[in-house]
Amino acid sequence: MHKISSEKFHKVLEQIIKDNETYGAVKKRDEYIYDRLETLSDLEIENYVPTVLPPKKYFYPQEEDLVQIDYKTKKANRVIFKKEIVLLGVRPCDINAISLFDRIMSDGNPDPNYLERRKHITVIGFDCVKSCWEHALCEAVGTINVKEGYDLFFSEYKKEYVIKTGSKKGEELFDRYIKNSHKLSEKERDDYHHERAERIKKFNHKVKYLFQDVSSIFEKHYDDPYWKEIGKICLMCGSCVMVCPTCYCFTMDEEVDLKLQTVTRKRKWDGCMLRDFAMVAGNHNFRPTAEMRLKHRWNRKFNYLLKKYHMSNCVGCGRCGFACLVKINPIDILNTIMGNYYSGVKHESEK
Amino acid sequence: MKPKVAFFDFASCEGCQLAVLDLEEELLDLVNIVEIVNFREAISEKGEDYEIAFIEGSISSEHQIERIKKIRKQAKLLITIGACACTGNMQYLSNFFDFEEVKEYVYGDKAKYFDPVQSKPIDQIVNVDFQIPGCPIDKYEFLKVVKQVIAGGLPRIPNYPVCSECKMQGNECLLKKGILCLGPVTRAGCGAICCKNFKYCFGCRGLAPEFNIESFKDVLRSIGYKEKGIMAQFKIVNGKDIQLLQSGGK
Ligand code: SF4
Ligand code: SF4
Ligand code: SF4
Ligand code: SF4
Ligand code: SF4
């Protein structure tokens, strides 16, 4: 662990932007989006709140070509779009989401498109010194700390910046851009960790119950009446899944070119809150109601996938809660379901 | 053999046909895979041996009813293009008034020389095989549907609401800022082009196959809309569906 002065921190970032195709949080109208950085002043550092879309769009684009098939010979060729880019200022919640994606996409049947593209994307993270907005629950779900998913990570400490490297690429970046820096002594390290822990204590503490029991509670309260309640108001608009850094559901589409020579198979974002997602032949739908879809989505986040990957699959950014026009959000969901469990509210099926 | 294609217009502004002609770069390739035998807006020949008919516009006279029935008889595939043909668009508003008054308002004492009927979308007169909605249509969606039909597949357009597409674009939400937007109940496929340009979605692509109207009305009430104002917004393009909805038909 090393540290550099604030002045050097800014110089380093400026140089990185100059040398690389760099993207980061930029203010659009009232909100932020990940966009191309021309200079450091484009980047929002201090007043960051989660961007409309997470950086996921660079790893896992809204729409991508997977395979091209020759109409006549039926020969298929894999298509992989990749580009050398740097993402600058990625926050802990989003870094945890990237690290989850890395695991999910290499699990079972590895996804070559994602993994190949991923190799070319450099992630430079920034720590959060304060809660970004009232929708966040990173502190509750444990994603304010980062273990992997980044190359370099900067954390403010006493008006200076502590640097962590998270990969070989990160070490190379460190050698190239930073080099001369102060190595933290053991005492300084302890102090840094202590100070960081103190500042996290001041974050939002809106989730009232201990998170570690969440999956068993969600299991036991599978038929909690709250699902019906929010199912009634849900617009089934899909905004929540589109803005989520950990949602990866997709649909396939084929498009033939105008000369009728090549068919391209495309992958596009889809989501479990939408009608066609669980639609099968004969117009049957496995999850026809908003209630069933919400139950499914949130059990994925806090139960099924949490158990599989041993970490919350909601990284707590709060984007969905902000985007939802009827204010369905993870903080209320956790508080209500866990609250109902602890206060002994009966399931639908027990009534 | 290239399939023979015809375009016909009824009560419309012809904007959707212009959108097709606006496919400048693709047009030459398009006529390599289909033969256009009838397209008043573009060619002077008139062939009657078409297999696929694209219909623009709504039906607003007895004469047009006869004409669309004749087209239906000839066409193997009848595809409506644009809001006028698909949902009835704003001319459908005539259905909400006393028709004698409407006629008098439009034609004055000459009404007896015309044969108007209350404006209807095509599917209220004849069977429609597929709809490409929008006011105007998205030319690339049109192209996609043509290719899907030629390749022998079933055409597909998005079934989800504009909000999903709006978020995919990374747009800031208008409704969140207290500006009216019909995105949550409207069928996507336009790339949320209005919201992207910070204009509200007025629902030109018709209602999505699935939506939660009561909850959506509550959202609009929360930004200050009253029932009457909400209904007026819906009726701009989707009068027919709102009528069906109110009578419990959808
Ligand atoms: S579920 Fe919501 S809060 Fe959690 S990661 Fe996804 S968008 Fe963020
Ligand atoms: S949710 Fe937490 S980690 Fe993410 S930006 Fe906000 S404060 Fe930072
Ligand atoms: S954003 Fe809200 S209303 Fe829309 S699908 Fe998600 S939970 Fe339902
Ligand atoms: S601007 Fe309109 S379409 Fe976009 S998310 Fe908001 S309500 Fe939906
Ligand atoms: S955003 Fe709405 S009004 Fe605009 S083109 Fe799309 S459906 Fe039509």
Side-chain angles (χ1 to χ4, degrees):
Chain A
M1 236 182 228
H2 292 249
K3 69 173 183 179
I4 52 175
S5 70
S6 168
E7 201 194 345
K8 178 152 184 187
F9 169 71
H10 287 97
K11 271 206 184 118
V12 167
L13 299 190
E14 193 69 82
Q15 196 58 45
I16 289 174
I17 294 171
K18 224 172 166 183
D19 297 348
N20 304 277
E21 185 173 329
T22 310
Y23 297 85
V26 170
K27 191 155 192 177
K28 208 177 166 190
R29 206 174 271 258
D30 305 316
E31 295 167 34
Y32 295 93
I33 57 162
Y34 267 90
D35 208 348
R36 181 75 193 266
L37 302 172
E38 298 299 339
T39 81
L40 184 57
S41 56
D42 294 340
L43 179 69
E44 181 60 56
I45 301 178
E46 253 159 57
N47 299 313
Y48 175 88
V49 293
T51 46
V52 179
L53 289 180
K56 176 176 89 177
K57 62 182 182 183
Y58 299 110
F59 301 96
Y60 193 72
Q62 291 85 336
E63 180 177 322
E64 75 177 299
D65 295 354
L66 296 182
V67 188
Q68 279 190 339
I69 305 149
D70 188 286
Y71 218 72
K72 279 206 197 86
T73 63
K74 306 281 183 286
K75 252 189 83 155
N77 287 313
R78 190 190 293 289
V79 191
I80 297 183
F81 171 80
K82 54 179 189 245
K83 193 153 84 169
E84 207 65 51
I85 62 168
V86 173
L87 302 182
L88 186 60
V90 185
R91 302 294 161 146
C93 52
D94 285 342
I95 291 177
N96 275 292
I98 293 169
S99 136
L100 247 176
F101 249 88
D102 288 347
R103 284 160 70 186
I104 291 167
M105 291 295 157
S106 25
D107 208 20
N109 253 333
D111 187 297
N113 287 61
Y114 174 88
L115 294 172
E116 184 58 32
R117 184 162 43 237
R118 175 72 177 92
K119 278 190 221 152
H120 299 269
I121 301 177
T122 304
V123 178
I124 302 181
F126 287 177
D127 204 0
C128 288
V129 288
K130 55 179 197 277
S131 254
C132 52
W133 59 0
E134 73 270 25
H135 310 284
L137 59 153
C138 57
E139 172 270 339
V141 299
T143 50
I144 184 63
N145 298 314
V146 295
K147 283 201 286 291
E148 48 197 4
Y150 63 92
D151 299 297
L152 272 187
F153 188 75
F154 292 97
S155 182
E156 203 183 312
Y157 167 55
K158 296 199 162 124
K159 304 243 152 37
E160 296 189 297
Y161 286 87
V162 167
I163 311 155
K164 289 202 289 182
T165 51
S167 67
K168 213 171 153 275
K169 206 197 250 176
E171 280 161 28
E172 285 162 17
L173 282 171
F174 184 87
D175 288 341
R176 179 166 167 210
Y177 287 103
I178 298 160
K179 228 169 196 160
N180 295 329
S181 56
H182 170 81
K183 191 165 192 271
L184 263 63
S185 69
E186 206 161 306
K187 197 169 154 280
E188 278 174 317
R189 249 188 217 214
D190 288 346
D191 187 58
Y192 160 73
H193 286 304
H194 174 75
E195 191 160 280
R196 190 171 180 277
E198 286 300 308
R199 101 183 163 212
I200 292 167
K201 279 189 193 153
K202 295 196 198 98
F203 275 44
N204 284 344
H205 292 279
K206 291 199 170 167
V207 177
K208 291 186 265 178
Y209 305 94
L210 259 191
F211 187 71
Q212 65 193 42
D213 303 323
V214 72
S215 50
S216 69
I217 294 177
F218 267 56
E219 200 136 290
K220 288 181 196 132
H221 265 234
Y222 188 74
D223 287 320
D224 194 284
Y226 191 58
W227 298 122
K228 184 167 260 167
E229 198 180 316
I230 53 178
K232 246 189 219 144
I233 57 167
C234 172
L235 300 163
M236 299 170 285
C237 69
S239 288
C240 50
V241 285
M242 296 305 158
V243 301
C244 180
T246 68
C247 279
Y248 55 81
C249 291
F250 60 84
T251 183
M252 287 292 180
D253 200 10
E254 277 99 28
E255 198 165 344
V256 53
D257 76 330
L258 253 183
K259 296 199 166 19
L260 303 183
Q261 282 167 353
T262 351
V263 181
T264 308
R265 171 157 261 230
K266 294 164 185 283
R267 166 161 66 189
K268 293 178 173 176
W269 287 2
D270 197 351
C272 58
M273 294 306 297
L274 299 173
R275 167 184 178 268
D276 286 7
F277 189 73
M279 193 77 118
V280 292
N283 268 351
H284 293 294
N285 201 320
F286 284 113
R287 282 187 291 272
T289 64
E291 176 191 348
M292 291 162 93
R293 294 178 204 168
L294 285 164
K295 194 188 269 192
H296 175 77
R297 171 163 147 84
W298 291 102
N299 267 286
R300 296 265 300 172
K301 301 291 181 210
F302 294 133
N303 180 11
Y304 315 144
L305 292 180
L306 186 151
K307 273 193 263 172
K308 187 163 177 203
Y309 295 104
H310 308 290
M311 74 176 272
S312 173
N313 267 249
C314 161
V315 294
C317 67
R319 286 183 177 94
C320 58
F322 174 71
C324 181
L325 291 164
V326 296
K327 303 190 169 71
I328 294 170
N329 68 84
I331 296 173
D332 288 346
I333 288 173
L334 286 173
N335 282 340
T336 313
I337 307 270
M338 290 168 103
N340 284 349
Y341 170 75
Y342 288 118
S343 62
V345 167
K346 289 247 184 324
H347 291 202
E348 279 295 297
S349 50
E350 292 169 352
K351 272 186 203 163
Chain B
M1 265 272 285
K2 289 193 283 184
K4 291 190 170 139
V5 170
F7 289 80
F8 298 103
D9 52 71
F10 289 84
S12 66
C13 75
E14 301 179 9
C16 290
Q17 293 184 73
L18 286 179
V20 173
L21 293 177
D22 196 37
L23 282 164
E24 289 173 10
E25 286 182 20
E26 294 85 359
L27 225 43
L28 281 178
D29 282 331
L30 187 64
V31 296
N32 273 331
I33 58 169
V34 298
E35 185 184 339
I36 299 177
V37 298
N38 207 321
F39 195 165
R40 192 178 59 79
E41 195 75 19
I43 58 172
S44 49
E45 289 99 284
K46 277 198 176 132
E48 297 301 335
D49 53 346
Y50 49 87
E51 294 153 87
I52 305 171
F54 288 102
I55 309 296
E56 180 200 75
S58 61
I59 300 298
S60 56
S61 72
E62 293 292 348
H63 170 74
Q64 288 178 336
I65 295 180
E66 290 319 307
R67 190 167 156 236
I68 189 69
K69 282 185 177 162
K70 239 176 92 191
I71 295 170
R72 178 67 272 191
K73 256 196 195 137
Q74 169 63 32
K76 283 209 191 79
L77 212 57
L78 188 148
I79 299 175
T80 52
I81 57 172
C84 302
C86 297
T87 70
N89 215 348
M90 48 194 92
Q91 49 273 45
Y92 192 83
L93 286 173
S94 66
N95 290 270
F96 294 96
F97 297 92
D98 178 80
F99 198 52
E100 290 310 313
E101 274 174 37
V102 173
K103 276 200 275 192
E104 205 185 299
Y105 184 82
V106 178
Y107 301 107
D109 57 2
K110 309 278 187 311
K112 57 177 182 290
Y113 301 115
F114 298 90
D115 62 349
V117 294
Q118 274 172 312
S119 191
K120 302 282 183 223
I122 304 298
D123 68 352
Q124 286 198 327
I125 311 289
V126 296
N127 205 16
V128 169
D129 297 306
F130 197 72
Q131 304 200 327
I132 308 175
C135 181
I137 53 165
D138 178 300
K139 57 181 180 180
Y140 296 112
E141 184 168 73
F142 170 82
L143 200 61
K144 206 175 154 188
V145 169
V146 171
K147 289 189 295 185
Q148 283 169 330
V149 167
I150 304 296
L154 276 179
R156 276 211 305 179
I157 60 171
N159 279 327
Y160 46 79
V162 174
C163 288
S164 279
E165 219 166 31
C166 190
K167 287 293 138 211
M168 280 189 229
Q169 302 267 349
N171 298 340
E172 295 180 22
C173 177
L174 296 156
L175 264 177
K176 283 250 144 196
K177 299 180 204 289
I179 303 167
L180 175 95
C181 182
L182 299 189
V185 295
T186 302
R187 185 195 290 272
C190 54
I193 185 162
C194 300
C195 315
K196 195 176 167 189
N197 292 296
F198 225 70
K199 302 277 184 302
Y200 82 98
C201 168
F202 61 98
C204 84
R205 289 179 55 85
L207 294 174
E210 188 186 79
F211 49 83
N212 185 342
I213 200 84
E214 286 314 315
S215 179
F216 181 56
K217 279 195 201 167
D218 282 339
V219 173
L220 294 183
R221 279 185 205 110
S222 75
I223 61 164
Y225 276 83
K226 302 262 176 339
E227 179 74 16
K228 216 175 143 196
I230 296 172
M231 282 303 139
Q233 289 296 337
F234 276 128
K235 280 182 195 162
I236 296 177
V237 181
N238 295 303
K240 179 200 78 178
D241 285 336
I242 288 305
Q243 226 174 19
L244 277 175
L245 208 64
Q246 282 170 333
S247 62
K250 188 162 177 174

